[in-house]
Amino acid sequence: MTAEEKDYKVPFSDYAEDSFVEKRSKFTGRLWRVETAEEAVSKIREMRETYWDATHHCYAYILREGNLMRYSDDGEPQGTAGMPMLDVLRHAGLVNVCCVVTRYFGGILLGTGGLVRAYTKGAQLAVAAAGIQQMSRFATLLIACPYNLYGAVQQILPAQDCTIEDVDYGADVTLTVIQPVGRLDALNAALAEATAGTVYAEQMEVTFRGRRVQ
């Protein structure tokens, strides 16, 4: 299986945020689902322009294409913000994600360890607010069957991990079905047994689909 065919995880929500206060400094973690570096950079720029009076806008983003990772401490001591945030995203297994933690300085220094904990927490809260979905490959299948075999076909589908997306009642009944990739042979074997070899599923396309896992 190639890298392009493997399951991967992305934020469940397109956007999420959460905030907390640590020794009078306010930290707000914001997280987006993005597809390109340009989109990630645009979100970072938007935060800097919208919250221009904030002390820091530290960020991290990961893209599936090219396994691209970028981060910035944005003026905080080196290694105290961007890398801890990137570690949170990597630990969650996320790609196509951009996280910005904005800090309004409250007048009390947090120290190196305190900053690492604060920016880690900001990213963790943003991830928790967004949720996580796993993207897996699913095949779209067409199954045409006579009306007298429709009931038998319907009974087989749940056990074969199939979900009916559409039914067309024409000369025959034609079902559009979604199934995880790799199960087609088992489905066709079950259909053949139940219909005396008269009904089979035909694969039309394969696409990634998401389901929430966290």
Side-chain angles (χ1 to χ4, degrees):
M1 182 181 294
T2 66
E4 290 74 19
E5 295 173 327
K6 292 181 179 178
D7 292 358
Y8 60 97
K9 294 178 181 177
V10 300
F12 180 78
S13 301
D14 291 335
Y15 170 74
E17 68 173 78
D18 202 351
S19 301
F20 69 99
V21 175
E22 181 69 28
K23 294 183 179 178
R24 298 210 299 260
S25 281
K26 182 180 180 181
F27 293 85
T28 301
R30 296 180 173 89
L31 186 141
W32 299 263
R33 185 166 65 238
V34 297
E35 299 293 332
T36 64
E38 290 76 16
E39 192 176 352
V41 170
S42 175
K43 299 301 183 185
I44 297 163
R45 184 186 305 115
E46 179 184 341
M47 291 302 96
R48 288 174 172 163
E49 293 174 352
T50 303
Y51 305 100
W52 56 268
D53 56 339
T55 317
H56 304 281
H57 295 288
C58 304
Y59 67 80
Y61 63 86
I62 302 174
L63 299 176
R64 179 170 176 257
E65 186 173 351
N67 194 31
L68 180 65
M69 303 182 190
R70 296 287 185 270
Y71 63 91
S72 170
D73 297 314
D74 192 34
E76 295 283 27
Q78 185 176 357
T80 62
M83 179 56 79
M85 292 168 58
L86 184 69
D87 286 343
V88 170
L89 302 181
R90 294 172 64 186
H91 180 73
L94 288 169
V95 295
N96 293 354
V97 58
C98 176
C99 181
V100 177
V101 176
T102 297
R103 179 189 185 187
Y104 282 87
F105 182 54
I108 299 176
L109 297 176
L110 300 184
T112 300
L115 287 172
V116 170
R117 288 189 293 272
Y119 282 101
T120 296
K121 181 177 179 179
Q124 288 173 335
L125 289 176
V127 169
I132 296 173
Q133 64 176 329
Q134 179 162 308
M135 305 298 291
S136 303
R137 292 197 308 152
F138 282 79
T140 300
L141 312 174
L142 286 184
I143 303 173
C145 66
Y147 281 84
N148 66 313
L149 295 176
Y150 181 33
V153 170
Q154 280 184 301
Q155 290 181 352
I156 287 169
L157 298 180
Q160 297 297 324
D161 247 353
C162 291
T163 303
I164 298 174
E165 287 220 323
D166 187 47
V167 181
D168 180 47
Y169 300 97
D172 287 326
V173 181
T174 303
L175 299 91
T176 302
V177 173
I178 304 301
Q179 183 191 45
V181 166
R183 300 289 305 273
L184 180 59
D185 288 346
L187 170 63
N188 275 332
L191 287 172
E193 183 177 353
T195 65
T198 60
V199 176
Y200 290 92
E202 179 184 0
Q203 182 170 301
M204 305 306 293
E205 65 175 352
V206 174
T207 56
F208 277 96
R209 291 172 176 252
R211 62 181 179 86
R212 185 162 188 166
V213 294
Q214 186 173 317

